[in-house]
Amino acid sequence: MGNRSSTASQGTGPTVSQSDDGQSVTVNGTEGETVVTESGVFLSNELQADILGAFQSQVLQTQWEKLQTKIMVNHNERISQNELRKLQVEEEVARWKKDNDEVQNILDERMEGVKSQFWDLEVALQQDVQNLENKVGNVPKFGGDTACFDVRSSLTSCYKNTKDVRTCDELVAAMDRCVKQTVIA
């Protein structure tokens, strides 16, 4: 590998020479002499296009992988946030259920207390009525079907058949007299 030069053309036109080692190029022009010396490795246009395509492909691949990584990270974050929120909601529901159970137990206890008081008062009232009946003697039973039955049925018919209730005033007075007489007797 020496510095042997080869001549591409001779005469009045441009002259291009390249050394055997491919390191230097000399160009001579016709309008005055211009010498350009370049050194390095020269690639063909096809090889340059292949390298550029591979580089662009590698850049795209890298960007695609970054995008996929970002998508996966965001997806995993959403999943973990959803799981966290689900756990928070479940804890909140459990707390509400616990509070509800406590309130329900308190209400049940109060209801049982009120029922107990009611039953006690009912028994006491029945006993008081029994004692009163024993002291007074024969007491009329109210709410029976026979007390003032005729007057009640007449008053009911009057109310059903008339639009002016004042026409039933006499039956109202009769009912009043019957009730007073029944209670006093």
Side-chain angles (χ1 to χ4, degrees):
M1 308 254 157
N3 279 339
R4 196 178 75 173
S5 296
S6 62
T7 304
S9 62
Q10 293 180 353
T12 59
T15 306
V16 177
S17 64
Q18 182 175 7
S19 63
D20 286 341
D21 61 2
Q23 297 275 333
S24 64
V25 175
T26 305
V27 177
N28 294 325
T30 55
E31 303 177 3
E33 263 191 55
T34 305
V35 177
V36 176
T37 304
E38 295 181 18
S39 67
V41 178
F42 298 100
L43 304 174
S44 70
N45 287 338
E46 289 177 12
L47 184 57
Q48 286 179 2
D50 288 344
I51 291 172
L52 183 60
F55 177 73
Q56 288 176 343
S57 177
Q58 182 63 33
V59 168
L60 288 175
Q61 183 68 26
T62 303
Q63 288 178 349
W64 175 248
E65 288 172 358
K66 286 180 182 178
L67 180 64
Q68 284 181 324
T69 303
K70 183 178 178 181
I71 289 170
M72 291 303 295
V73 166
N74 288 341
H75 176 72
N76 290 338
E77 286 177 0
R78 279 194 307 272
I79 288 174
S80 64
Q81 287 173 353
N82 287 343
E83 288 296 320
L84 180 63
R85 183 64 184 143
K86 183 179 177 183
L87 288 174
Q88 289 172 343
V89 167
E90 287 174 355
E91 288 173 0
E92 197 169 330
V93 166
R95 190 175 64 247
W96 287 345
K97 283 182 179 180
K98 181 183 173 190
D99 292 345
N100 184 40
D101 289 342
E102 290 174 4
V103 169
Q104 192 64 42
N105 288 336
I106 291 170
L107 290 175
D108 288 344
E109 289 173 7
R110 286 183 183 173
M111 189 66 150
E112 288 299 318
V114 168
K115 282 181 181 180
S116 176
Q117 288 176 350
F118 175 76
W119 295 118
D120 291 345
L121 289 174
E122 183 181 27
V123 168
L125 182 62
Q126 286 175 352
Q127 225 173 8
D128 289 345
V129 167
Q130 184 67 32
N131 289 338
L132 186 61
E133 286 177 353
N134 291 339
K135 281 184 183 179
V136 173
N138 190 10
V139 179
K141 302 289 181 189
F142 297 104
D145 291 335
T146 58
C148 306
F149 180 74
D150 294 335
V151 178
R152 260 189 312 169
S153 63
S154 298
L155 183 60
T156 304
S157 296
C158 181
Y159 281 143
K160 285 182 181 179
N161 296 329
T162 186
K163 292 183 180 183
D164 187 9
V165 292
R166 289 179 291 177
T167 59
C168 300
D169 285 344
E170 288 180 26
L171 291 171
V172 170
M175 182 72 172
D176 188 40
R177 283 190 305 272
C178 180
V179 169
K180 284 181 184 178
Q181 184 181 17
T182 304
V183 170
I184 291 173

